[in-house]
Amino acid sequence: MALPQEQGYTIEDIYALPEGTRAELIDGKIYYMAPPNTKHQRISGFLHSKIYQYISNHNGTCETFTAPFAVFLSEDNKNYVEPDISVICDKNKLTDKGCVGAPDWIIEIVSPGSRRMDYFTKLFKYRTAGVKEYWLVDSDKNRILVYNFENEDTQEFTFSDIIKAGIYTDLSIDFSQLNI
């Protein structure tokens, strides 16, 4: 006799949520998200503008997207995330619905409600999905953790540091310019 299986949620369940409900799906489990606060939005806007300007000024082929932007980490229908910032360099991964597969670079801005998810669950999912670089920006702890999965390297910075992006040879972001 087979054991009863726990039913998980799918991407269809995410799309069936009431309009305006923000949630992510990881391994068939739904995680609801609170709206970002002002500090979170300032950080997101600052980082997005720096990355976008760099790509634009260098006639780059990568694109940068801010949440809400759908990222389908795997081909199954049990994983759907909305990273705060996604940089995608492979145009074949982009569809009308979002990104299918791992972005090259993901930045998550930690909020009180997302701390455990960002530091543990997403770190593991992003690494195993093939993300090249993952930044965790935590203003409450004055810390930016940079995971370069290709080099298997992790570095820790503060909001007074200049941080070099690993997927580019000459992009550095000066966090001391950020006014939060």
Side-chain angles (χ1 to χ4, degrees):
M1 181 172 150
L3 294 173
Q5 295 195 358
E6 182 179 314
Q7 176 159 354
Y9 293 99
T10 66
I11 290 169
E12 290 77 27
D13 295 309
I14 290 289
Y15 281 105
L17 291 172
E19 185 74 27
T21 302
R22 291 199 52 219
E24 294 178 309
L25 180 71
I26 297 179
D27 296 327
K29 184 173 180 184
I30 292 179
Y31 296 89
Y32 293 95
M33 299 184 297
N37 64 25
T38 303
K39 186 189 310 185
H40 182 284
Q41 291 297 84
R42 285 184 180 131
I43 295 169
S44 178
F46 172 80
L47 291 171
H48 179 262
S49 69
K50 294 292 184 187
I51 298 165
Y52 179 86
Q53 286 173 350
Y54 174 85
I55 293 169
S56 179
N57 291 343
H58 289 81
N59 296 316
T61 58
C62 300
E63 289 188 64
T64 180
F65 298 90
T66 58
F69 178 74
V71 173
F72 307 93
L73 287 175
S74 55
E75 292 189 21
D76 66 23
N77 65 350
K78 298 190 180 290
N79 288 283
Y80 165 96
V81 292
E82 292 182 359
D84 291 311
I85 298 174
S86 302
V87 179
I88 298 126
C89 299
D90 181 353
K91 301 278 188 212
N92 293 321
K93 291 183 178 181
L94 295 172
T95 70
D96 286 342
K97 287 190 171 191
C99 176
V100 178
D104 295 85
W105 179 13
I106 287 178
I107 299 173
E108 291 287 7
I109 301 159
V110 179
S111 59
S114 73
R115 186 170 304 284
R116 183 171 178 75
M117 175 74 77
D118 293 337
Y119 275 98
F120 299 105
T121 307
K122 287 185 177 179
L123 172 65
F124 174 76
K125 290 306 285 186
Y126 292 160
R127 182 182 189 129
T128 57
V131 171
K132 294 176 183 173
E133 186 169 356
Y134 177 42
W135 288 20
L136 266 166
V137 179
D138 192 336
S139 62
D140 288 345
K141 294 188 179 225
N142 187 34
R143 173 170 64 192
I144 301 104
L145 289 174
V146 174
Y147 295 91
N148 185 323
F149 296 136
E150 288 191 315
N151 298 336
E152 296 187 17
D153 185 37
T154 304
Q155 293 181 293
E156 184 173 335
F157 299 93
T158 70
F159 276 69
S160 59
D161 290 325
I162 298 172
I163 303 174
K164 186 187 172 311
I167 69 166
Y168 294 109
T169 56
D170 59 348
L171 169 61
S172 294
I173 298 175
D174 184 352
F175 272 78
S176 70
Q177 295 177 344
L178 175 60
N179 294 317
I180 52 173

